[in-house]
């Protein structure tokens, strides 16, 4: 099954950025919040320097004139490489920051045993009173983004927006989403509540459980 998923992968290009691509495969997959009909693999953008740099340049342009001040990038789902390149792009003069050292902080929250995000004492100064953007690989239901934004605000941060490699939404609650890929880039992409999944109703088994780090076959 795992080999079958990899063999069925197809490359999809962003409509307005034809040099940036992700891999995806259609099927019946489950996340922690929903069922989806595509598994989206954004690994190359997260771990390859060249792809991460190109993605960072594009995301910067999408944020331009919408976000003015960025002090901290909070990275979810292993997006730290992309976050570092994005910070470098934002530091080139088009964005303001309030950090005394004139450089952007890059950090990730810790998730405890009851799935709450938190920041340790040594990381709190990068959040409290800072203008923060949240960087995530994919956002479909928006639940993970909401939890991270709530955490940041609990620690005194000011969320200025959400940045994603793929997102089905251009806004999650009160936050604008800046994304490389959206539903239009993946024909027929859909997400379902577990109780309303058409695959489950037809008795089609789940192929794999997926998250930001990959997939595990059932």
């Amino acid at each position: 099954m795992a080999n079958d998923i990899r063999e069925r992968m197809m490359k999809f290009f962003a409509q307005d950025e034809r040099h940036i691509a992700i891999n995806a495969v259609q099927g019946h997959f489950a996340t922690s919040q929903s069922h989806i009909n595509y598994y989206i693999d954004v690994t190359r953008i997260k771990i390859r320097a060249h792809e991460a740099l190109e993605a960072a340049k594009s995301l910067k342009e999408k944020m331009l004139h919408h976000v003015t001040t960025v002090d901290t990038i909070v990275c979810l789902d292993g997006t730290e490489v992309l976050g570092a390149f994005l910070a470098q792009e934002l530091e080139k003069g088009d964005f303001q920051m309030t950090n005394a050292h004139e450089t952007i902080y890059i950090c990730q929250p810790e998730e405890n045993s009851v799935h709450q995000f938190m920041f340790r004492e040594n990381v709190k100064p990068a959040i409290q009173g800072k203008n923060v953007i949240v960087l995530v690989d994919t956002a479909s239901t928006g639940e993970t983004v909401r939890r991270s934004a709530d955490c940041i605000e609990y620690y005194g941060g000011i969320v200025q927006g959400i940045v994603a490699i793929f997102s089905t939404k251009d806004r999650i609650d009160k936050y604008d989403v800046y994304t490389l890929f959206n539903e239009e880039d993946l024909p027929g992409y859909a997400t379902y509540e577990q109780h309303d999944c058409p695959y489950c109703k037809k008795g089609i088994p789940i192929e794999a459980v997926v998250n930001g780090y990959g997939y595990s076959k059932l």
Side-chain angles (χ1 to χ4, degrees), residues 109-119 147-148 151 155:
E110 184 177 342
E111 191 170 3
N112 63 22
S113 59
V114 292
H115 304 294
Q116 294 175 322
F117 287 126
M118 58 180 288
F119 293 98
R147 289 194 296 116
S148 64
C151 172
Y155 285 98

Side-chain angles (χ1 to χ4, degrees), residues 28-36 206-211 216 218:
H28 183 196
F29 304 99
T31 73
S32 59
Q33 287 96 28
S34 64
H35 287 197
I36 51 178
I206 295 171
E207 291 188 60
V209 176
V210 303
N211 63 20
S216 298
L218 296 181

Side-chain angles (χ1 to χ4, degrees), residues 54-128:
E54 292 302 314
K57 291 178 179 178
S58 178
L59 288 169
K60 171 192 173 179
E61 293 302 316
K62 293 177 184 298
M63 294 169 59
L64 201 59
H65 308 306
H66 300 286
V67 178
T68 59
T69 306
V70 178
D71 301 311
T72 300
I73 300 174
V74 169
C75 300
L76 306 180
D77 300 327
T79 56
E80 291 86 357
V81 173
L82 176 57
F85 281 112
L86 181 58
Q88 288 182 346
E89 292 300 312
L90 300 183
E91 288 177 353
K92 290 182 177 179
D94 296 310
F95 294 79
Q96 301 174 9
M97 71 182 73
T98 66
N99 295 332
H101 295 89
E102 298 184 351
T103 189
I104 293 174
Y105 296 110
I106 305 161
C107 61
Q108 61 177 335
E110 184 177 342
E111 191 170 3
N112 63 22
S113 59
V114 292
H115 304 294
Q116 294 175 322
F117 287 126
M118 58 180 288
F119 293 98
R120 298 285 181 175
E121 293 296 324
N122 53 308
V123 181
K124 284 183 182 179
I127 303 297
Q128 189 172 20

Side-chain angles (χ1 to χ4, degrees), residues 136-184:
V136 62
D137 59 355
T138 61
S140 52
T141 65
E143 182 59 31
T144 300
V145 168
R146 291 186 184 96
R147 289 194 296 116
S148 64
D150 287 346
C151 172
I152 291 164
E153 293 182 344
Y154 173 81
Y155 285 98
I158 306 155
V159 179
Q160 296 291 348
I162 312 301
V163 178
I165 299 173
F166 172 86
S167 177
T168 62
K169 306 173 185 296
D170 56 15
R171 191 170 179 85
I172 297 175
D173 296 342
K174 60 183 178 180
Y175 310 111
D176 290 325
V177 180
Y178 308 96
T179 185
L180 290 172
F181 295 84
N182 58 36
E183 292 171 287
E184 295 181 1

